[in-house]
Amino acid sequence: MPNGATPQTDREGLQGSPRHVAIIMDGNGRWAAARGLPRAEGHRRGVEALRKVVRAAHELGISYLTIFSFSAENWSRPASEIGDLFGLLRRFIRHDLAALHADGVRVRVIGEREGLESDICALLTEAEDLTRNNTRLTLVVAFNYGSRQEIAAAAQRLAREVAEGKRDPSSITADVLGSYLDAPDIPDPDLIIRTSGEQRLSNFLMWQAAYSELVFVPIHWPDFDKAALEDAIAEYATRERRFGGLIAKTGS
Ligand code: IPE
Ligand code: IPE
Ligand code: MG
């Protein structure tokens, strides 16, 4: 597999390493159920998998790793499970932030902060502030995130500018709208991986995924590891990304 931290297309149109990998970490509950364990144990093991995958990502030269950790629609789960998931996020930031910082990881958070408990907001802000200047890997945590909500919020801000006479509607291009999303400085994901065998986006990065390669893997998130990430990247490397254009054939 070709190396390199930036996406490259060779003359056959095949890919180098993805610069930005986004993961829908799914299947914690089914992993636990298959073992007769409570769903909370699946989530706990999911955090262990996440630690390993973050380490693997920088070993594999990935520059941006986005993880879907709580969706805007996950509020429809039982309160006890929501409590477990929020507890794990708190523990992850409290226990792992120093190590992430020492490893040169920059943490960014996307999603709606309003309505979250204030201690969670404070932890998210602390993680972003502490790691702001790190450059080895950017870990984008999608928390209380929904792509439709993100796009609607961008549309609201633009509409307000129009209403205030600060913007002409004809200036609202795709690039402008994209620049009003939660993390406009982060490049679009090259590769989106979903574990657990489900084949859908579930309201994740729908704008940014316009030309992402999608790889669905049958294993549940707690079992996902560096080898599985390497396999997904190998699958990505076989894809031809055309972005609507044509691939230049060798010798033609
Ligand atoms: C992913 O695992 C974690 C979150 C969605 C927060 P699930 O909890 O969705 O596990 P399954 O899909 O029910 O197995
Ligand atoms: C998507 O998984 C959300 C996260 C991984 C955080 P879900 O398990 O919530 O998605 P659906 O409900 O199966 O589509
Ligand atoms: Mg699920």
Side-chain angles (χ1 to χ4, degrees):
M1 187 175 37
N3 290 315
T6 51
Q8 288 169 347
T9 301
D10 70 14
R11 294 189 65 193
E12 279 79 41
L14 301 182
Q15 305 312 306
S17 298
R19 183 153 70 126
H20 181 177
V21 175
I23 307 183
I24 302 173
M25 309 182 293
D26 197 15
N28 294 349
R30 280 165 285 167
W31 182 93
R35 289 160 182 77
L37 297 168
R39 290 178 62 85
E41 182 59 16
H43 295 315
R44 203 185 60 74
R45 294 290 295 264
V47 174
E48 286 176 14
L50 172 61
R51 284 193 184 103
K52 290 185 203 148
V53 168
V54 172
R55 220 169 304 130
H58 47 75
E59 286 165 8
L60 295 171
I62 292 164
S63 301
Y64 302 89
L65 176 69
T66 297
I67 50 156
F68 202 5
S69 64
F70 190 84
S71 80
E73 288 75 32
N74 285 148
W75 290 104
S76 61
R77 296 192 180 195
S80 60
E81 178 159 349
I82 294 170
D84 293 337
L85 290 166
F86 277 60
L88 282 170
L89 178 79
R90 284 186 178 93
R91 242 165 291 147
F92 179 68
I93 295 179
R94 286 198 192 114
H95 289 175
D96 290 52
L97 183 57
L100 291 169
H101 184 44
D103 284 345
V105 176
R106 175 173 69 140
V107 178
R108 294 284 299 273
V109 182
I110 58 172
E112 182 57 61
R113 306 274 176 108
E114 223 175 277
L116 293 180
E117 290 164 272
S118 60
D119 73 306
I120 290 262
C121 287
L123 283 170
L124 297 176
T125 304
E126 181 192 341
E128 288 186 308
D129 288 348
L130 177 71
T131 63
R132 181 172 306 279
N133 297 317
N134 293 341
T135 54
R136 191 146 175 236
L137 169 77
T138 298
L139 175 66
V140 183
V141 180
F143 189 78
N144 195 22
Y145 175 84
S147 197
R148 288 179 170 180
Q149 291 83 346
E150 180 189 34
I151 295 166
Q156 268 190 29
R157 285 173 57 203
L158 286 162
R160 215 166 286 131
E161 290 182 7
V162 171
E164 289 166 357
K166 293 179 187 155
R167 175 178 286 286
D168 191 285
S170 64
S171 73
I172 303 173
T173 60
D175 281 348
V176 168
L177 204 154
S179 75
Y180 279 64
L181 299 177
D182 287 358
D185 54 314
I186 308 274
D188 289 344
D190 301 293
L191 166 62
I192 297 180
I193 300 168
R194 184 169 187 150
T195 60
S196 89
E198 306 298 348
Q199 302 193 4
R200 56 178 171 267
L201 285 176
S202 301
N203 203 14
F204 184 53
L205 300 181
M206 294 192 300
W207 178 280
Q208 298 86 342
Y211 277 102
S212 302
E213 295 297 327
L214 309 181
V215 171
F216 299 103
V217 301
I219 60 181
H220 294 314
W221 175 249
D223 288 332
F224 195 85
D225 57 9
K226 184 178 183 183
L229 179 59
E230 285 176 309
D231 287 349
I233 291 171
E235 164 69 29
Y236 168 85
T238 69
R239 304 279 178 88
E240 274 190 1
R241 299 183 80 186
R242 290 187 284 271
F243 299 99
L246 300 175
I247 294 296
K249 288 275 177 264
T250 309
S252 61

